């Protein structure tokens, strides 16, 4: 049985874009409040009072359109992945589709699968375009991640997102998909029930049976199906709930950390959940050369991983400077203290 997911029509990335809020809080500032002295990251991005997953996704979508250079009316799907969407019932995708000028001839939906909701939307977009149902589709992953005050998730739960417009592989695509693969099991490592403000985690389930099991199996299966080895990849981007996990996954797979560091941003902006690997891949595309191959493996609690192999094309050279780069957002920052952070994130709601 063939496990590889590969559409009949080759699909590529026409445009990509990311967005990270300006505000930052240092991990040591959170530690000062809760009496903690060791931290999994250096600092994280915090959404402003007028920002949420929708506005983050919209900014990323606009940046993707700048690079794509296409009429938004040609985009026949806008699919939004998040676990912190602002409405429980009203779709976020409709707002973004309207704001970018893609309505009314468009399909929209909000996807959920913890931190891989964005890549789940991307898998669907690849299938949509690959089946020739449409020529262009947009997948967005964005979050303003939650963490209970004092919980270790509070140190890493960040904010940010990215958007990818996919279309038929051509000279206009900045990279194309060689294939993808999804690996899913029912693993209760992390969850948030309806009406709860903050998620809970299964502690011992979060590492080996959840993150590493799914990431490693997804990556290995993808490479086996494509007949590739780790030596065939120039970069690797893994889901990054912290700095340690993706580097450990790379070590298990035999991938040098030098191939991981360019897309590893959690130490500076926190875990952006549905946006984590999408922002990481955007950062790699900002510096990659034509011909470079990127291994991309997301992870979502509950649990599952999506793995992609993409090859960079010549169009990256002329398109990457058409919108702000990820590093522009990472380096654009204003520090706040815990009091302002608690206000912005409404931490007084327990």
């Amino acid at each position: 049985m063939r496990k590889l997911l590969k559409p009949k029509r080759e699909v590529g990335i026409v445009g990509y874009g990311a967005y990270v809020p300006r505000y930052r809080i240092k991990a040591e500032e959170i530690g000062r409040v809760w009496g903690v002295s060791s931290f999994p990251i250096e600092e994280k991005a915090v959404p402003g009072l007028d920002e949420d997953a929708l506005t983050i996704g919209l900014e990323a979508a606009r940046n993707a359109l700048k690079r794509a250079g296409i009429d938004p009316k040609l985009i026949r799907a806008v699919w939004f992945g998040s676990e912190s969407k602002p409405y429980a019932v009203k779709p976020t995708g409709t707002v973004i589709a309207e704001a970018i000028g893609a309505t009314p001839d468009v399909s929209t939906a909000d996807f959920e699968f913890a931190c891989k909701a964005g890549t789940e939307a991307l898998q669907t977009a690849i299938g949509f375009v690959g089946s020739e149902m449409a020529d262009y589709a947009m997948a967005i992953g964005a979050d303003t991640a939650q963490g209970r005050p004092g919980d270790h998730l509070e140190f890493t739960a960040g904010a940010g997102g990215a958007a990818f417009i996919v279309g038929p592989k051509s000279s206009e695509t900045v990279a194309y998909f060689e294939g993808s693969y999804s690996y899913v099991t029912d693993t209760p490592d992390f969850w948030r029930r309806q009406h709860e403000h903050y998620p809970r985690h299964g502690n011992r389930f979060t590492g080996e049976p959840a993150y590493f099991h799914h990431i490693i199996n997804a990556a290995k299966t993808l490479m086996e199906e494509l007949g590739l080895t780790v030596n065939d990849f120039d970069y690797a981007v893994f889901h990054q709930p912290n700095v340690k996990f993706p580097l450990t996954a790379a070590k298990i797979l035999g991938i040098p950390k030098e191939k991981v560091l360019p897309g590893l941003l959690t130490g500076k902006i926190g875990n952006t959940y549905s946006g984590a690997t999408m922002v990481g891949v955007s950062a790699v595309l900002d510096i990659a050369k034509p011909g470079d191959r990127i291994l991309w493996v997301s992870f979502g609690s509950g649990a599952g991983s999506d793995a992609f192999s993409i090859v960079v094309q010549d169009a990256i050279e002329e398109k990457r400077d058409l919108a702000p780069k990820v590093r522009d957002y990472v380096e654009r920052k204003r520090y706040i203290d815990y009091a302002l952070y608690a206000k912005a994130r409404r931490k007084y709601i327990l």
Side-chain angles (χ1 to χ4, degrees), residues 114-138:
C115 294
K116 86 174 187 82
T119 57
E120 195 72 41
L122 181 60
Q123 284 279 42
T124 309
I126 293 170
F128 200 53
V129 172
S131 68
E132 300 186 359
M133 285 183 66
D135 283 335
Y136 299 103
M138 175 183 285

Side-chain angles (χ1 to χ4, degrees), residues 14-15 63-72 74 165 172 319 322:
V14 181
N63 285 335
L65 267 173
K66 289 176 183 177
R67 289 193 173 100
I70 62 172
D71 183 345
L74 296 175
I165 300 173
E172 295 300 311
K319 286 192 172 186
L322 298 178

Side-chain angles (χ1 to χ4, degrees), residues 181-210:
Y181 171 73
S182 293
Y183 184 90
V184 172
T185 71
D186 181 18
T187 304
D189 59 314
F190 179 94
W191 66 93
R192 178 167 61 88
R193 285 189 174 274
Q194 190 176 13
H195 306 307
E196 290 185 337
H197 291 291
Y198 302 109
R200 305 181 185 211
H201 42 88
N203 294 313
R204 67 186 180 88
F205 285 96
T206 60
E208 181 54 38

